[in-house]
Amino acid sequence: MPEATVKDEDPVNPTQPAQLKIGTDVYTIPITASLAGGMLGFIRGSRMSALRFLAENAHRAPTTVRGWYFYNKTKNYRVLLGGFKGGGQEALRLGAVGCGWVAFEEGWKAISTQVLGIPQLSGAKEVVAGGGTAITEMGLYANPVSPVLRARISPRQMFRTLVSPIVTNYQMDFRAGLRYKRLG
């Protein structure tokens, strides 16, 4: 029997370096998210550190001109430091969210074209990325959807949260049907 041979589309040329084709979304979305997070975090962090400094030093206001100079100088340095800390934290956080968004988009594009063989489904990559990012954020930050969820959300609890309204409605309909039959 003849053996199956694999033919490459482009023959390998050992003199040319290997090239990796990366779409622009792969690096523009995380970078833009990081920049936006850095700006927002700087504003929030500086505002928070200014209020913290005022609260910590409200009981010992300076009485001399020199004291007010050093008070404002110290406050300004602490505000800058708090702004940079908050900006860095928020930039990392939103950059990670942007990377997750891109991972969901590119993963869905690969799954829809290569695994499922239906390239038309790759048009829904934004919807999949939005849903995947939202579910990931819900799992990481434990934003409770129902009072049943507590500090950490496991995949089992996420499934219960999504399925429980359906099951509850069926149970209510079933109970209402039984009640109706008993009364009738």
Side-chain angles (χ1 to χ4, degrees):
M1 281 187 98
E3 292 185 26
T5 59
V6 178
K7 293 183 180 180
D8 292 332
E9 295 174 7
D10 298 327
V12 178
N13 188 352
T15 59
Q16 289 184 345
Q19 294 180 353
L20 182 63
K21 295 175 182 161
I22 299 174
T24 57
D25 288 350
V26 173
Y27 56 87
T28 55
I29 291 175
I31 289 173
T32 305
S34 293
L35 289 175
M39 288 187 286
L40 288 172
F42 184 83
I43 291 169
R44 289 178 181 170
S46 60
R47 189 179 304 146
M48 183 64 72
S49 61
L51 291 173
R52 183 179 295 123
F53 186 82
L54 288 173
E56 288 173 354
N57 295 304
H59 68 284
R60 54 177 180 176
T63 55
T64 63
V65 174
R66 184 176 179 202
W68 278 109
Y69 170 77
F70 286 116
Y71 176 85
N72 285 323
K73 182 180 174 183
T74 305
K75 178 185 170 196
N76 290 338
Y77 279 124
R78 293 221 181 145
V79 165
L80 275 175
L81 180 65
F84 284 125
K85 279 183 181 178
Q89 288 173 351
E90 200 67 28
L92 287 174
R93 187 174 296 133
L94 283 181
V97 169
C99 287
W101 178 281
V102 170
F104 279 116
E105 267 189 353
E106 295 297 319
W108 178 253
K109 197 184 324 178
I111 288 172
S112 65
T113 56
Q114 296 171 3
V115 176
L116 299 176
I118 307 171
Q120 292 85 2
L121 287 178
S122 65
K125 65 182 181 178
E126 289 88 5
V127 175
V128 172
T133 305
I135 289 173
T136 303
E137 291 291 321
M138 184 181 79
L140 289 176
Y141 292 107
N143 295 328
V145 176
S146 68
V148 175
L149 302 177
R150 291 191 177 79
R152 295 278 181 219
I153 299 176
S154 67
R156 185 170 151 189
Q157 287 174 328
M158 278 191 232
F159 179 75
R160 284 183 187 168
T161 304
L162 296 173
V163 173
S164 66
I166 299 166
V167 173
T168 305
N169 287 339
Y170 280 124
Q171 287 175 353
M172 290 172 73
D173 290 343
F174 181 69
R175 290 180 187 149
L178 287 177
R179 200 175 307 137
Y180 179 74
K181 287 180 183 175
R182 285 185 196 160
L183 294 175

